[in-house]
Amino acid sequence: MTQDLTRLSLNQETIKQWSLPELAEGCVKAGVPGVGLWRAPVQEYGVEAAARLIRDAGLAVTSLCRGGFFTAIDPDERAAALADNRAAVDEAATLGTDTLILVSGGLPPGSRDLFAARERIADALAELAPYAAERGVRLAIEPLHPMYASDRCVVSTLAQALDLAERFPADQVGVVVDTYHLWWDDTVADQIARAGAGGRIASFQLADWITPLPEGVLLGRGQLGDGAVDFRWFRERVDATGFDGPIEVEIFNPALWARDGAEVLAEVADRYRTLVL
Amino acid sequence: MTQDLTRLSLNQETIKQWSLPELAEGCVKAGVPGVGLWRAPVQEYGVEAAARLIRDAGLAVTSLCRGGFFTAIDPDERAAALADNRAAVDEAATLGTDTLILVSGGLPPGSRDLFAARERIADALAELAPYAAERGVRLAIEPLHPMYASDRCVVSTLAQALDLAERFPADQVGVVVDTYHLWWDDTVADQIARAGAGGRIASFQLADWITPLPEGVLLGRGQLGDGAVDFRWFRERVDATGFDGPIEVEIFNPALWARDGAEVLAEVADRYRTLVL
């Protein structure tokens, strides 16, 4: 019954009403073998303690969210961002995950130069990637939906993420394929093939696209099947490249947070079986 | 003083608190020579009467918004959409504008097939373009920001719009270059050049990108200069193709609607002079 869940990972933000122990217990009970973690709740619990908790439960940590925010111009801000990213790498290594997901950063206040912002991301990656590689962690550039381009991430398409990643060795810098951010793009099949051929797919994440979008557009992701995304189409294209890694469900939606966590996870697993596999 | 406004057009939704007579009078007073109109307020006023009003004021109608919504699967819905679009063409011709702007339509309920939806748009264009051409009206495909892909327009990039438009003669089907929808795209310079070289730029529209986005993300456009868009960068690239047509300001923002219309228009003209020209 749980055999078909072997690649499923639950990103903890999907059921953020759960504490870390509840997350570990809930995933074990549901037969979900992986979890994606976020820095803030892990730090609050204690990084070492969280690592032990998840490991003792027999779960894999498939990713840590998140590093990034590399686009500041001010030298002090840049130095602080790099220091914080090194700490994120250390935390990923302690947690035993090889994947640190990056939200690269938006336009600094007053700037309108997307091209320069993307170059500052490349500069930061050049500093950070060797540090991460020494600790067994790969940086995963996540292209975010273009509606986040000004305030969160100037990397909006898989092609842009690959243009950045390919400046570095494939084992140091990869990309995230997240259906929520990429579903609308008619070039995404070609870019998934490009990412796979280059060994660049570091993470494959799922959420559905639903409307109307809420104010601020951060917490409007849909449960699998509730929206516009053709998940099987995506999964088949990712798998066709030879990728056989985790498939992580990451949904930010207050309606899911208001429900019983075990019920939400059962629904996720059910949707995963019928819509993704 | 007004000489530098010779290409400026005010889309009426920018100052929707104005009636059509107020719009005509306000633009004449401000030395703004063109207006972009919307079907609903024009129909309410009477199409013939609106045409006479704007013509008698010595103003040009630079575009009519909007036709489109071509993606229905149901044959009756498709027939109704085409009939409504023929009416929109007739209204454009009566108003004396050669440009009918199209919002092509989102995914029909239950569908997740973006590719098929885009093909249905092409089918509709094939039926509508000759009808429009006979009446001196060119169809202008507007790529809308990807955040509208599911519910308003599956054409999300200038490249997609051109892929559709180029199936038809350039004098029958063009594209809209709107900064609000396209500013984030790192391929847009190349696509503007492609559009210009093919004689496909039917309309050039301006609005700024500001955050946070409001619920529903329809009414969150910014006054020129308030956000992330580099307008001069866009205008120079559009002009470099040889385009010398109207530059239409189309901002949907309740904060502008709550102010005195003449004051808003003066601000638009000022921002246009300093940030666009």
Side-chain angles (χ1 to χ4, degrees):
Chain A
M1 182 60 184
T2 59
Q3 181 60 27
D4 52 351
L5 301 183
T6 48
R7 292 176 66 190
L8 181 59
S9 171
L10 174 70
N11 187 284
Q12 74 175 118
E13 281 288 299
T14 307
I15 308 180
K16 74 181 283 179
Q17 62 272 43
W18 269 351
S19 66
L20 271 171
E22 288 170 331
L23 176 75
E25 186 187 350
C27 285
V28 169
K29 275 190 184 167
V32 173
V35 291
L37 300 179
W38 280 67
R39 291 185 70 195
V42 164
Q43 288 169 351
E44 194 179 331
Y45 189 81
V47 183
E48 294 276 1
R52 198 162 47 241
L53 174 78
I54 302 295
R55 191 174 54 238
D56 289 351
L59 299 171
V61 180
T62 57
S63 71
L64 178 64
C65 271
R66 62 182 189 226
F69 293 95
F70 294 131
T71 51
I73 295 171
D74 177 75
D76 290 344
E77 284 182 51
R78 290 185 63 71
L82 280 168
D84 186 56
N85 274 276
R86 286 191 198 94
V89 167
D90 295 344
E91 290 161 23
T94 300
L95 291 167
T97 181
D98 58 3
T99 304
L100 176 63
I101 291 179
L102 305 179
V103 171
S104 298
L107 289 171
S111 171
R112 296 180 175 85
D113 191 340
L114 292 163
F115 299 92
R118 293 182 189 122
E119 285 309 305
R120 288 194 297 280
I121 295 167
D123 292 345
L125 291 171
E127 290 202 47
L128 197 62
Y131 180 90
E134 284 169 17
R135 285 149 187 85
V137 175
R138 180 156 72 155
L139 305 176
I141 304 169
E142 178 157 21
L144 257 58
H145 192 283
M147 68 188 177
Y148 302 116
S150 68
D151 53 6
R152 305 187 80 77
C153 186
V154 295
V155 180
S156 304
T157 63
L158 192 50
Q160 291 176 344
L162 288 165
D163 288 346
L164 279 167
E166 289 169 356
R167 303 192 196 186
F168 305 94
D171 60 349
Q172 292 189 9
V173 182
V175 298
V176 182
V177 176
D178 186 317
T179 60
Y180 188 75
H181 298 300
L182 304 176
W183 73 278
W184 58 271
D185 183 354
D186 65 340
T187 72
V188 76
D190 289 343
Q191 297 301 322
I192 288 170
R194 172 185 166 194
R200 299 279 175 180
I201 302 178
S203 176
F204 178 33
Q205 296 186 325
L206 310 182
D208 214 337
W209 177 271
I210 56 174
T211 57
L213 292 163
E215 183 183 359
V217 302
L218 277 178
L219 306 181
R221 301 191 188 192
Q223 171 66 286
L224 313 184
D226 285 356
V229 175
D230 186 340
F231 290 100
R232 188 165 291 112
W233 185 96
F234 261 91
R235 200 266 305 153
E236 287 175 352
R237 271 147 192 83
V238 170
D239 283 0
T241 71
F243 179 84
D244 58 2
I247 303 176
E248 191 174 313
V249 175
E250 185 187 50
I251 305 168
F252 311 149
N253 188 320
L256 297 186
W257 301 337
R259 291 168 54 190
D260 173 70
E263 181 191 302
V264 173
L265 184 52
E267 186 177 81
V268 164
D270 182 57
R271 301 288 179 95
Y272 174 81
R273 284 191 186 93
T274 55
L275 300 173
V276 181
L277 294 183
Chain B
M1 181 60 184
T2 60
Q3 183 59 25
D4 53 350
L5 301 182
T6 48
R7 293 174 66 189
L8 181 58
S9 172
L10 174 70
N11 188 284
Q12 74 174 121
E13 281 289 298
T14 308
I15 307 180
K16 75 181 283 180
Q17 62 271 42
W18 269 351
S19 66
L20 271 170
E22 289 170 332
L23 176 75
E25 187 187 348
C27 285
V28 169
K29 276 190 183 166
V32 174
V35 290
L37 300 179
W38 280 67
R39 292 184 70 195
V42 164
Q43 288 169 351
E44 196 179 328
Y45 189 81
V47 183
E48 293 277 2
R52 198 163 46 241
L53 174 78
I54 302 297
R55 191 173 55 238
D56 289 351
L59 300 170
V61 180
T62 57
S63 71
L64 179 65
C65 270
R66 62 182 192 232
F69 292 95
F70 294 131
T71 51
I73 295 171
D74 177 75
D76 290 343
E77 283 182 50
R78 290 186 63 71
L82 281 167
D84 186 54
N85 273 275
R86 287 190 197 94
V89 167
D90 296 344
E91 290 161 22
T94 299
L95 292 166
T97 181
D98 59 2
T99 303
L100 176 64
I101 291 179
L102 305 179
V103 172
S104 296
L107 289 171
S111 170
R112 296 180 174 85
D113 191 341
L114 292 162
F115 300 91
R118 293 181 190 123
E119 285 308 305
R120 288 194 297 280
I121 294 167
D123 292 346
L125 291 171
E127 289 202 47
L128 197 61
Y131 179 90
E134 284 169 18
R135 285 150 186 84
V137 175
R138 180 155 71 154
L139 305 177
I141 303 170
E142 179 158 21
L144 257 57
H145 192 283
M147 69 187 176
Y148 302 117
S150 69
D151 54 5
R152 306 187 80 77
C153 186
V154 294
V155 180
S156 304
T157 63
L158 191 51
Q160 290 176 346
L162 287 165
D163 287 347
L164 279 167
E166 289 170 355
R167 302 192 196 185
F168 305 94
D171 60 349
Q172 292 188 11
V173 182
V175 297
V176 181
V177 176
D178 186 317
T179 60
Y180 188 77
H181 299 301
L182 304 175
W183 73 278
W184 58 272
D185 183 354
D186 66 340
T187 72
V188 76
D190 289 344
Q191 297 302 322
I192 288 171
R194 172 184 167 194
R200 298 280 175 180
I201 301 177
S203 177
F204 178 34
Q205 297 186 325
L206 311 182
D208 213 338
W209 178 270
I210 56 174
T211 57
L213 292 162
E215 183 182 0
V217 301
L218 278 177
L219 305 181
R221 302 191 187 192
Q223 170 67 284
L224 313 185
D226 286 355
V229 174
D230 186 341
F231 291 100
R232 188 165 292 112
W233 184 96
F234 261 91
R235 199 265 306 152
E236 287 175 351
R237 271 147 193 84
V238 169
D239 284 359
T241 71
F243 178 82
D244 59 2
I247 302 176
E248 192 175 311
V249 175
E250 184 188 51
I251 305 167
F252 311 149
N253 188 320
L256 296 186
W257 301 337
R259 290 168 54 190
D260 173 70
E263 179 191 304
V264 173
L265 185 51
E267 186 176 81
V268 164
D270 181 58
R271 302 289 179 96
Y272 174 81
R273 283 192 186 94
T274 56
L275 300 174
V276 181
L277 294 183

